[in-house]
Amino acid sequence: MQLLWEHREGQQAGSTLYHFHDGTIGYYMAFNPAGDMVFHRILNQIEASHAETVKQEMGAVKLIHLSLKSVFKAIPTVFKSAPVPELSEKVACVDFSKDLSLCFHAADAVPLALPFYLMSQHRSSQFDQYVLVFVHSGKALLAAYSGEQLLLLNSYPVENEAEVLYFASAALKKAGIGIQNARVELMAEEHASHGIQDLFKRFLNNTAYCPANLPYSLDQLPPHTHIAALMHLMPQCALPEEI
C-alpha cells in the first residue's frame, strides 16, 4: 500500500464516502451533509474491498462506489419510467434537468458519467460548440454540445491518441458542425494527457485542458486530478435514496 494523497478537514463522522477503484489505485472522497469535502485520500497498490475499511475508519454513514464500466443511458426524462433496452428491469435514474435523465443498473456502481455530465454542462455554457473528453484506463467519456443542446454523451474503448481524436470530432461532424469551430477540452492522466493534447493541437484550433475546480492551490493539486475533479461534483448529482 502506498499513500499518494491525503487531506482531512472538519468533522468526518456521518459523511458520505465516494470510492473509485481502477484496478490498482483507490480513490476516496467524503462530504459532510452540507456538501463540503472533509476527506480525500488516494492509495496505490490497494484492493477495492479496502473502501469498507476507510468507511469504518471515518465513521461515514454511506459508501457509494463509482465506475467507468457501469452501463448508462441518457434519455428524455419523460421516458425514464419506460423500459430501457440496454438496462435491466431494476433501473435507477438521475434527472439532469426537466428534459434529460441518466439511467443505469440500480445494483451497479454509479457511472462516472454522472459527474462527468455535470462538468461538461458547466463548461459548455461558455462556448457555442463544445466537446469534453475524459480519458482513463482505456476508456473515453465524451460529451458534445451545440449551444445548449447536448449532442452526445457516451463512453468508448480507446487504444491510442488517434482514436480519442476520432471520437472527439465524430459527434460534431455528424451534426454538420465544423470541428474547427468547437472548443475541445481534455481530462486525462498526466502521463497520457500530453500526447493526446499534442495531437489535438495538430488538428484543432481551440483545445485546452479542462480546469479542475478543487479546494487546493494550483501548485498543490493531487495526482490523478481528473478523477478528483469529477468525484468533487458528486454532492451535486442528487442520487436516488436507494443508491
Side-chain angles (χ1 to χ4, degrees), residues 82-102:
V84 181
E86 293 88 344
L87 304 176
S88 65
E89 293 183 2
K90 191 176 182 181
V91 174
C93 292
V94 176
D95 296 340
F96 288 150
S97 66
K98 62 182 179 63
D99 299 317
L100 187 68
S101 298
L102 184 138

Side-chain angles (χ1 to χ4, degrees), residues 28-129:
Y28 314 88
M29 191 177 288
F31 300 83
N32 64 21
D36 302 315
M37 187 179 79
V38 294
F39 177 84
H40 183 197
R41 179 184 290 172
I42 305 174
L43 292 174
N44 193 14
Q45 300 173 348
I46 198 72
E47 298 295 328
S49 59
H50 186 70
E52 290 289 345
T53 303
V54 177
K55 179 189 176 205
Q56 293 176 13
E57 171 196 335
M58 296 177 52
V61 297
K62 199 168 189 178
L63 171 61
I64 296 176
H65 299 283
L66 305 172
S67 175
L68 262 175
K69 298 178 180 179
S70 296
V71 177
F72 67 89
K73 183 76 172 179
I75 62 174
T77 300
V78 294
F79 297 129
K80 71 176 184 179
S81 298
V84 181
E86 293 88 344
L87 304 176
S88 65
E89 293 183 2
K90 191 176 182 181
V91 174
C93 292
V94 176
D95 296 340
F96 288 150
S97 66
K98 62 182 179 63
D99 299 317
L100 187 68
S101 298
L102 184 138
C103 299
F104 54 96
H105 295 291
D108 288 352
V110 174
L112 208 61
L114 182 56
F116 172 77
Y117 167 78
L118 287 183
M119 177 71 80
S120 71
Q121 187 183 49
H122 295 335
R123 296 295 299 162
S124 69
S125 63
Q126 303 179 39
F127 307 98
D128 292 332
Q129 284 86 35

